[in-house]
């Protein structure tokens, strides 16, 4: 079974949804038969490379609300994160353009270390408050997962892997993903948002049962089912 996860590294629900999916996977009898692939999705490709705004201020500006209301929303998200064992320190985090982080994740994929890099980057942003657009920070994260430093520098100082990032974004649009996280199971079932782990487990079991009944691989077109809940929208 193949699961493609479309996400952005500054999307809190992507981190929470990823954790809930992993909890479901731990309780799934066919866990060893599941192949997970991470796909790039930038919520705001045109976001500035540098900003002095806090997340509360950025959220307030985007949705035209007070900073106090934005802080309440971020505090609520942090509580949801805590429920799945994650530590969010959103008061430390700053908005960031994620193109470079996504490009470096594709280099990590080439080296068989994409999941490790994604995990490290999410923790760096949401827990440690690091600027994941900063080259030195990204090089440090790459080093943490044993990626070659010189190769990582070459990636960051060029447009290498940008085509892959754009291709993932285009594919997401084609299958109807307007926000993230977005989980695609065997190119057939789409689950949008940070759904409860029970929902993910139900989908895993449904796909597993279908695989047992099918003797041939089906080429699936637009017949994709979606369920929507907490997600980050463009």
């Amino acid at each position: 079974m193949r699961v493609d996860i479309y996400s952005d590294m500054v999307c809190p629900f992507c981190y929470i949804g990823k954790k809930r999916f992993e909890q479901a996977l731990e309780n799934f009898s066919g866990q060893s038969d599941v192949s997970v692939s991470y796909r790039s999705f930038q919520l705001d490709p045109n976001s500035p490379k540098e900003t002095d705004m806090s997340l509360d201020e950025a959220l307030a500006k985007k949705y035209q609300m007070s900073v106090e209301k934005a802080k309440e929303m971020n505090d609520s998200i942090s509580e949801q994160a805590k429920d799945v064992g994650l530590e969010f320190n959103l008061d430390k985090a700053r908005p960031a353009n994620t193109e470079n982080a996504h490009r470096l994740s594709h280099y990590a994929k080439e080296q068989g270390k994409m999941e490790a890099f994604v995990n490290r980057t999410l923790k760096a942003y949401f827990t440690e408050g690091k600027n994941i657009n900063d080259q030195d920070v990204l090089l440090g994260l790459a080093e943490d997962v044993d990626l070659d430093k010189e190769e990582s520098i070459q990636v960051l100082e060029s447009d290498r892997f940008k085509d892959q990032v754009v291709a993932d974004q285009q594919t997401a649009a084609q299958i109807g993903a307007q926000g993230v996280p977005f989980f695609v199971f065997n190119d057939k079932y789409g689950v949008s948002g940070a759904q409860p782990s029970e929902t993910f487990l139900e989908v895993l079991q449904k796909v597993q049962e279908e695989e047992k009944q099918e003797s041939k691989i089906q080429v699936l077109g637009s017949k994709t089912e979606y369920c929507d809940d907490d997600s980050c929208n463009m």
Side-chain angles (χ1 to χ4, degrees):
M1 184 190 310
R2 173 173 172 164
V3 182
D4 292 293
I5 303 177
Y6 292 83
S7 64
D8 199 2
M9 296 175 187
V10 293
C11 163
F13 287 119
C14 292
Y15 202 3
I16 294 170
K18 177 178 178 296
K19 186 67 173 181
R20 289 176 178 171
F21 170 75
E22 289 169 349
Q23 291 174 338
L25 202 56
E26 289 176 0
N27 295 312
F28 178 52
S29 61
Q31 178 181 0
S32 61
D33 297 322
V34 178
S35 173
V36 178
S37 182
Y38 296 94
R39 302 292 182 180
S40 298
F41 189 107
Q42 283 189 272
L43 286 165
D44 186 3
N46 298 315
S47 62
K49 301 292 184 180
E50 301 290 341
T51 180
D52 293 327
M53 285 195 301
S54 67
L55 282 186
D56 294 339
E57 292 168 339
L59 188 65
K61 181 179 179 180
K62 181 175 182 179
Y63 294 106
Q64 298 184 344
M65 63 177 67
S66 68
V67 174
E68 291 74 19
K69 178 63 176 177
K71 185 179 185 308
E72 289 178 9
M73 292 177 64
N74 280 331
D75 288 345
S76 175
I77 292 172
S78 295
E79 285 301 313
Q80 293 184 56
K82 188 182 298 183
D83 289 342
V84 293
L86 297 174
E87 179 186 354
F88 276 16
N89 294 308
L90 299 183
D91 56 317
K92 296 181 181 179
R94 293 291 181 271
N97 187 297
T98 55
E99 179 184 310
N100 288 335
H102 279 298
R103 290 195 301 108
L104 198 54
S105 76
H106 282 276
Y107 166 59
K109 180 179 181 179
E110 194 176 74
Q111 303 302 310
K113 297 177 180 178
M114 190 176 200
E115 182 173 9
F117 181 78
V118 168
N119 286 336
R120 182 66 190 95
T121 305
L122 289 168
K123 182 178 180 180
Y125 183 75
F126 288 105
T127 304
E128 300 167 5
K130 292 185 176 180
N131 179 4
I132 60 169
N133 181 59
D134 182 84
Q135 179 167 312
D136 290 337
V137 169
L138 287 172
L139 289 175
L141 301 180
E143 184 178 2
D144 288 344
V145 298
D146 297 323
L147 290 173
D148 183 82
K149 183 176 182 179
E150 293 304 317
E151 282 285 335
S152 298
I153 291 174
Q154 290 179 20
V155 170
L156 293 174
E157 293 185 348
S158 68
D159 287 333
R160 193 173 166 195
F161 296 109
K162 184 174 182 177
D163 288 347
Q164 287 87 330
V165 175
V166 172
D168 280 352
Q169 192 97 10
Q170 291 175 340
T171 300
Q174 290 169 2
I175 63 177
Q178 298 180 341
V180 285
F182 196 84
F183 302 76
V184 181
F185 296 76
N186 278 1
D187 291 330
K188 184 174 184 180
Y189 296 103
V191 178
S192 177
Q195 298 288 332
S197 58
E198 293 82 5
T199 299
F200 286 121
L201 183 58
E202 289 176 5
V203 178
L204 287 165
Q205 291 170 337
K206 178 181 178 67
V207 176
Q208 181 188 51
E209 186 61 31
E210 287 186 355
E211 286 182 334
K212 290 179 180 178
Q213 296 175 0
E214 295 173 355
S215 59
K216 295 182 179 180
I217 298 176
Q218 294 184 357
V219 179
L220 301 162
S222 60
K223 295 181 179 179
T224 308
E225 298 179 8
Y226 304 101
C227 54
D228 296 303
D229 197 359
D230 294 331
S231 62
C232 301
N233 296 314
M234 298 181 70

